[in-house]
Amino acid sequence: MSQSLLHSRRTFLKQMTTATGLTLGVTLAPKAMAVARAENRTGQLTPNLFVTIDTSGDLIVTCHRSEMGQQIRTAITQILADELSADWQRVSTVQAPGDEKYGDQNTDGSRSIRRNLERLQMAGATAAYQLRMAAAKGWNVPVEECQCVNHQVVHHGSGRQADYQTLVAVAAGLPLPEEGQVKPKARKDWQYTGKSVRSIDMDAVVSGNTTFGQDVTLDNMLIAVIQRPPVMFTQAESVNDSAARKVTGVKKIITLPAASAPANFKPLGGVAVLASNTWAAMQGVQALDVSWSTNEHSRYSSSQEKKRLIDTARKSGEVVRKRGDVADALGKASKTLEATFYVPLLAQAPMEPPAAAARVENNHAEVWTSTQNPQAARTLVAEVLGIPEKNVTIHITLLGGGFGRKSKPDFAAEAAWLAREAGQPVKVIWRREDDIQHGFYHTVSAQHIKAAMDNEGNTTAWHHNTVFPTISSTFSTEADSPSAGELRLGFIDNPFDIANMQLEKGKAQNHVRIGWLRSVANVYHAYAIHTFADELAVAAGQDSRDYLKKLIGKPRHIDLSEDGAEYDNYGDPIDTYPIDTGRLLSVIDTVCKAADWDNRHAQKRFLGLAAHRSFLSYVATIVEVEIDDDGRWSIPKTYVAIDAGTVVNPEHVKAQCEGGSIFGLSCAIGQITASKGQIEQTNFHNYQVARIQQTPRQFHVDIINTDAPPGGVGEPPTPPFAPALANALFAATGQRIRELPLPLAIKRA
């Protein structure tokens, strides 16, 4: 087999030696590892393998999360190398396949560190304890007198020291430590964690010496490009493939099964052209003449749906959070303000479109793919092939961006199904056009906010109704209302300290596949809330920063149950991760100091501010804009302050703040529309994402140094960007823009 090796030769050789090295399972409780280790002794696959020390003494870290540019492979390696006091030059990283033994491998929700830091620390600490025990036994000294220092165990009393290589065989045969014997290092002793360690993948990526999903090659493999139905859940009524079959290199043409509601992660169906090379497959699929059926979604029009959503948002909805008496406060107000906000469909549009290669033989399937969720891919592949999950292996390549799109494994299932039908390996390539026109979109949203003010300009009431087709419709045909999971994303957890607050949701029908996009519902909720907060400040004649802080109120922990609201806090304990307005105020103060907010008018600079808590982290963003004589805006500088609790790699957090902000900019200027049920955008020429000339020329990022538990990093920088930009454009032009996409040129009012 000449398939591309997914790892370096050095790593491959290390893997081959693992069977004779020291291999430790990982759970929070050391005793629980006994089962895993016993299985390993008998040569079976060992659950929760994260740490291996080979017979040369080198450390091999198994990364169970997907690498899509966020440098999680480096961060996980830092954590484990730290606990093992490893020599960084003797550390390597391998990618785990999709397997439930690693726990949840779905790399989304900004939870790779916050859900894994402690267990990974215990994994490394347990391995270190095993090595210390081995040395102590050989030297006949208490294990407490032995320390791990730079890849050696050292006994300071006698001056003896031993390299890990000399201890592996003994350590592998020792009993596991009792619970309580192993503790992670104190923060003050961290050698790698909390430091800006360089990416372990950087050299290979920039030199082209690694493998992404589109790169995988298998022996005797065909390339497949699929013409998918233009409207969701329609199917091919007739197929004329005579012209396609004349294209040199085209080998087979196969019609896939049509999809039906609910969408789940299933393939959409369509007609696949399989060829000996990519160009032939692309030419062949363009030569197909396919007649498609119609259904109720064929009447879907973005403009008509926009009107329906806005009408619903302006009506009363279902109350999901209530405090005080909003109607009474509005009736007694000195001034009322109201506004409607609209955010269109968006596409994740990762730089590398989805791809998957599969081989199906003897009731077993192997898939190589750029997936964020290998376990979901394994489940779906088994389902479409009708084979047990244990017969499916998912190999994870590097991802050229994901942003939520690659959490859905429909493309892996396409490759597996076609490989079985073709009787040979098949790689399915999604062209950019396929990705833009047939993805799982960020849902469209309409929101209406009405507020009351007293004579001093204080906001006394806040009434907010949000309406959008729910992601739940992807999994249930009955779902027509925002889910609790979506409402928790920047809506129901509104941090404002307003005496009267009522939050409502409305119903909406779905006509496209909906899926997660970086920051999910936080994107449109943050846009409406923080654009409107700026409007309130202007109406009150007060400074935007000061007014936002007044809306947030005094530092406190918010208990949403007091307002009758359901809230699951991103699945983590509220006691550990409270809604802490003090931290939100802190990032506002930090970013305003960095941007010299108080002197902006004197300096004739136009700044916009927004601050948002999401995925258990706090981010404040200030965007500065310039406007030329033709109204074209540009961003000379953006300022970001983030409090994400404990940080593993500050440089990576800074990069996430920059990348997340630019992604937020793309959300602000892009839109997906539909006519007659078909997506109108096809590629980057008509789906706007941030170009170089639109991105900030400079970034300033402040990372708040704190010992708090780690929060998310990948997604939190995105939500505040669009409202901060819109507020900056208002400061510069006097034009208040409540609908996205933002125009690229705006005349002063």
Side-chain angles (χ1 to χ4, degrees):
M1 181 178 72
S2 64
Q3 69 193 45
S4 298
L5 289 177
L6 302 184
H7 314 298
S8 67
R9 178 177 177 274
R10 171 182 166 80
T11 299
F12 177 74
L13 292 174
K14 284 178 178 292
Q15 287 179 293
M16 296 302 290
T17 61
T18 298
T20 54
L22 167 64
T23 304
L24 297 176
V26 177
T27 65
L28 283 178
K31 267 193 170 182
M33 296 184 203
V35 174
R37 196 169 180 224
E39 292 178 354
N40 189 53
R41 280 176 172 172
T42 61
Q44 299 177 21
L45 287 175
T46 306
N48 298 323
L49 286 175
F50 288 79
V51 177
T52 298
I53 299 175
D54 67 16
T55 52
S56 68
D58 289 356
L59 168 63
I60 303 168
V61 171
T62 299
C63 178
H64 66 306
R65 316 294 286 180
S66 296
E67 179 63 70
M68 47 191 149
Q70 83 280 36
Q71 310 304 337
I72 190 59
R73 285 160 52 93
T74 304
I76 286 177
T77 303
Q78 284 180 253
I79 295 165
L80 290 164
D82 214 335
E83 294 298 333
L84 274 152
S85 299
D87 178 349
W88 193 253
Q89 300 305 315
R90 297 176 63 182
V91 176
S92 61
T93 308
V94 297
Q95 186 69 46
D99 198 310
E100 65 273 7
K101 66 187 179 187
Y102 295 103
D104 182 9
Q105 290 180 265
N106 188 10
T107 311
D108 72 352
S110 296
R111 52 192 170 184
S112 289
I113 295 299
R114 67 182 163 95
R115 290 283 177 83
N116 289 281
L117 176 61
E118 187 178 353
R119 66 194 295 237
L120 291 169
Q121 287 176 323
M122 286 300 296
T126 301
Y129 192 87
Q130 295 288 105
L131 292 164
R132 291 167 54 209
M133 287 176 63
K137 182 178 179 181
W139 298 332
N140 194 28
V141 298
V143 66
E144 291 75 16
E145 294 182 2
C146 299
Q147 289 184 304
C148 291
V149 180
N150 195 31
H151 233 92
Q152 292 184 329
V153 177
V154 176
H155 183 248
H156 291 293
S158 63
R160 285 175 291 192
Q161 56 190 32
D163 189 273
Y164 290 171
Q165 180 183 14
T166 65
L167 301 170
V168 169
V170 175
L174 293 176
L176 287 166
E178 296 292 325
E179 289 187 41
Q181 285 184 296
V182 176
K183 293 181 180 178
K185 281 184 176 178
R187 179 181 292 260
K188 64 180 179 56
D189 296 325
W190 286 351
Q191 181 181 359
Y192 303 116
T193 310
K195 307 295 193 304
S196 292
V197 174
R198 190 171 185 269
S199 166
I200 59 173
D201 293 307
M202 187 63 70
D203 290 345
V205 169
V206 299
S207 64
N209 188 30
T210 188
T211 304
F212 292 82
Q214 298 271 356
D215 296 331
V216 175
T217 300
L218 306 175
D219 282 348
N220 194 33
M221 185 180 79
L222 295 177
I223 305 296
V225 177
I226 301 173
Q227 185 179 135
R228 297 175 180 80
V231 176
M232 183 172 65
F233 304 143
T234 57
Q235 55 187 305
E237 292 186 325
S238 65
V239 179
N240 182 349
D241 59 11
S242 56
R245 291 186 183 277
K246 294 178 182 176
V247 175
T248 301
V250 169
K251 303 296 183 183
K252 300 178 181 179
I253 297 176
I254 301 174
T255 299
L256 288 85
S260 58
N264 289 308
F265 297 145
K266 296 179 296 187
L268 272 174
V271 182
V273 175
L274 286 65
S276 57
N277 61 78
T278 302
W279 179 249
M282 294 170 67
Q283 293 299 301
V285 85
Q286 288 181 359
L288 287 174
D289 181 8
V290 183
S291 176
W292 299 96
S293 66
T294 60
N295 60 21
E296 70 275 18
H297 302 300
S298 302
R299 297 188 294 272
Y300 172 47
S301 160
S302 296
S303 57
Q304 294 175 0
E305 185 66 16
K306 174 182 177 181
K307 184 177 183 305
R308 281 193 288 269
L309 289 174
I310 289 175
D311 288 346
T312 304
R314 288 173 174 166
K315 298 175 183 175
S316 296
E318 178 184 348
V319 178
V320 295
R321 180 182 172 188
K322 184 175 182 181
R323 179 199 309 158
D325 190 333
V326 165
D328 182 66
L330 286 168
K332 296 176 180 176
S334 298
K335 180 188 291 185
T336 62
L337 276 78
E338 59 185 308
T340 301
F341 298 87
Y342 176 78
V343 176
L345 291 170
L346 295 169
Q348 298 89 354
M351 187 55 67
E352 181 200 28
R359 181 174 53 208
V360 180
E361 295 176 344
N362 303 322
N363 218 34
H364 288 70
E366 276 191 284
V367 179
W368 291 258
T369 184
S370 50
T371 177
Q372 292 176 243
N373 194 348
Q375 291 158 336
R378 192 181 186 206
T379 299
L380 185 60
V381 167
E383 179 183 328
V384 300
L385 296 181
I387 63 176
E389 279 194 33
K390 65 181 181 181
N391 292 1
V392 178
T393 301
I394 303 294
H395 303 282
I396 310 166
T397 69
L398 294 187
L399 284 65
F403 315 126
R405 171 62 185 96
K406 295 174 183 174
S407 288
K408 299 89 179 171
D410 52 325
F411 48 97
E414 288 175 340
W417 192 88
L418 286 170
R420 186 187 63 180
E421 296 301 302
Q424 62 188 104
V426 171
K427 180 167 70 176
V428 170
I429 291 175
W430 282 55
R431 300 162 297 177
R432 181 78 58 206
E433 290 83 355
D434 300 318
D435 186 42
I436 298 293
Q437 291 203 300
H438 302 291
F440 289 81
Y441 300 100
H442 184 60
T443 195
V444 59
S445 161
Q447 300 169 76
H448 188 76
I449 307 177
K450 189 171 185 179
M453 279 185 170
D454 63 18
N455 289 329
E456 285 72 42
N458 299 309
T459 299
T460 58
W462 178 282
H463 181 272
H464 188 172
N465 190 13
T466 184
V467 181
F468 53 88
T470 174
I471 287 176
S472 300
S473 64
T474 299
F475 309 102
S476 170
T477 55
E478 305 298 321
D480 61 358
S481 180
S483 67
E486 292 165 302
L487 294 174
R488 78 186 182 202
L489 304 176
F491 180 71
I492 211 162
D493 49 342
N494 183 317
F496 294 165
D497 188 12
I498 300 172
N500 305 285
M501 178 179 287
Q502 185 161 312
L503 308 183
E504 302 174 0
K505 67 174 182 177
K507 294 185 176 182
Q509 298 299 315
N510 175 45
H511 300 284
V512 297
R513 295 196 298 181
I514 295 174
W516 304 279
L517 174 143
R518 192 176 191 171
S519 298
V520 203
N522 284 293
V523 173
Y524 41 82
H525 287 145
Y527 184 73
I529 290 171
H530 287 287
T531 305
F532 195 64
D534 196 65
E535 289 195 53
L536 291 173
V538 173
Q542 299 179 25
D543 179 87
S544 296
R545 183 266 320 271
D546 297 343
Y547 200 85
L548 177 58
K549 293 178 66 175
K550 184 188 295 185
L551 285 170
I552 294 170
K554 296 179 180 178
R556 68 195 188 285
H557 292 181
I558 298 176
D559 183 358
L560 294 174
S561 67
E562 293 178 351
D563 297 342
E566 295 181 18
Y567 187 64
D568 77 346
N569 202 36
Y570 294 86
D572 282 317
I574 194 72
D575 291 340
T576 306
Y577 292 97
I579 304 174
D580 187 342
T581 61
R583 295 174 71 180
L584 189 60
L585 292 167
S586 176
V587 293
I588 292 172
D589 288 338
T590 300
V591 80
C592 286
K593 181 179 180 181
D596 199 10
W597 176 268
D598 289 327
N599 293 314
R600 67 191 190 283
H601 297 310
Q603 297 165 348
K604 297 182 179 179
R605 298 161 63 220
F606 303 112
L607 307 182
L609 166 67
H612 191 72
R613 174 187 185 266
S614 67
F615 300 93
L616 310 176
S617 292
Y618 304 79
V619 175
T621 299
I622 287 178
V623 176
E624 180 175 351
V625 299
E626 294 174 344
I627 309 288
D628 68 16
D629 292 339
D630 295 323
R632 290 189 296 267
W633 52 264
S634 60
I635 303 174
K637 196 163 185 177
T638 289
Y639 306 82
V640 178
I642 182 170
D643 179 353
T646 298
V647 168
V648 173
N649 191 316
E651 189 63 28
H652 295 171
V653 173
K654 179 183 177 184
Q656 288 289 301
C657 288
E658 295 170 351
S661 295
I662 293 171
F663 193 86
L665 170 59
S666 292
C667 292
I669 61 178
Q671 70 169 333
I672 292 289
T673 59
S675 177
K676 298 181 179 180
Q678 184 172 356
I679 301 302
E680 296 178 302
Q681 288 70 33
T682 57
N683 207 318
F684 287 149
H685 72 285
N686 55 7
Y687 179 62
Q688 178 73 47
V689 298
R691 266 62 167 179
I692 289 177
Q693 66 267 26
Q694 287 138 6
T695 56
R697 296 196 288 274
Q698 293 183 57
F699 268 102
H700 177 97
V701 178
D702 283 306
I703 301 172
I704 307 295
N705 186 21
T706 170
D707 293 343
V713 172
E715 295 172 90
T718 294
F721 192 91
L725 173 58
N727 293 338
L729 292 173
F730 174 81
T733 68
Q735 299 273 15
R736 181 67 69 185
I737 305 171
R738 303 186 182 95
E739 294 186 3
L740 299 181
L742 296 173
L744 300 181
I746 306 171
K747 291 291 186 181
R748 291 181 173 85

